């Protein structure tokens, strides 16, 4: 069943809007992850996994000691993941291009265009 003319226009507008905003998402500055942090975080996760397995295996015989080792292993795993995915403080953003200036839109622009303009002005600051 073919789309009506209004549905086709709406679909075309949504596609244009998506294409214009897709470049904004791709060019958004983000911090680079450190290879060193990823390796050390992975080692911490593996050590925590080992401690968790040891804690569970000795937990059947000793009780509290096994639970403590298991909880410590779990916390070590969580800390390793957080350490691995946290960017370093001195790392520069991946995108070093200057933010592009947008031309103001016409008064008859769509609601989403006006909201995007407001969002961009708010992000750029005063």
């Amino acid at each position: 069943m073919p789309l009506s003319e209004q549905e086709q226009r709406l679909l075309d507008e949504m596609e244009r809007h998506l294409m214009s905003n897709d470049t904004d998402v791709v060019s958004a500055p983000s911090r680079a992850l450190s290879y060193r942090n990823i390796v050390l975080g992975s080692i911490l996760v593996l050590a925590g996994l080992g401690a968790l397995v040891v804690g569970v295996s000795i937990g059947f015989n000793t009780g509290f000691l096994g639970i403590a080792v298991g909880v410590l292993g779990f916390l070590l795993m969580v800390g390793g993941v957080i350490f691995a995915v946290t960017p370093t403080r001195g790392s520069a953003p991946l995108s070093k291009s200057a933010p592009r200036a947008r031309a103001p839109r016409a008064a008859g622009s769509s609601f989403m265009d006006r909201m995007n303009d407001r969002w961009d002005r708010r992000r750029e600051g005063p």
Side-chain angles (χ1 to χ4, degrees), residues 14-27:
M14 288 169 51
E15 286 176 355
R16 281 192 309 272
H17 179 64
L18 179 63
M19 293 305 243
S20 69
N21 286 341
D22 193 27
T23 57
D24 293 342
V25 172
V26 171
S27 67

Side-chain angles (χ1 to χ4, degrees), residues 6-80:
Q6 180 185 5
E7 292 170 335
Q8 187 65 39
R9 266 185 297 140
L10 184 60
L11 182 62
D12 290 339
E13 181 182 342
M14 288 169 51
E15 286 176 355
R16 281 192 309 272
H17 179 64
L18 179 63
M19 293 305 243
S20 69
N21 286 341
D22 193 27
T23 57
D24 293 342
V25 172
V26 171
S27 67
S30 61
R31 299 246 179 227
L33 295 177
S34 168
Y35 179 74
R36 180 181 146 274
N37 284 5
I38 293 172
V39 169
L40 290 176
S42 300
I43 291 171
L44 285 174
V45 167
L46 291 175
L49 184 62
L52 184 66
V53 169
V54 168
V56 168
S57 66
I58 67 171
F60 293 119
N61 298 330
T62 61
F64 178 73
L65 180 64
I67 292 173
V69 171
V71 168
L72 181 67
F74 177 75
L75 292 176
L76 199 61
M77 286 173 30
V78 170

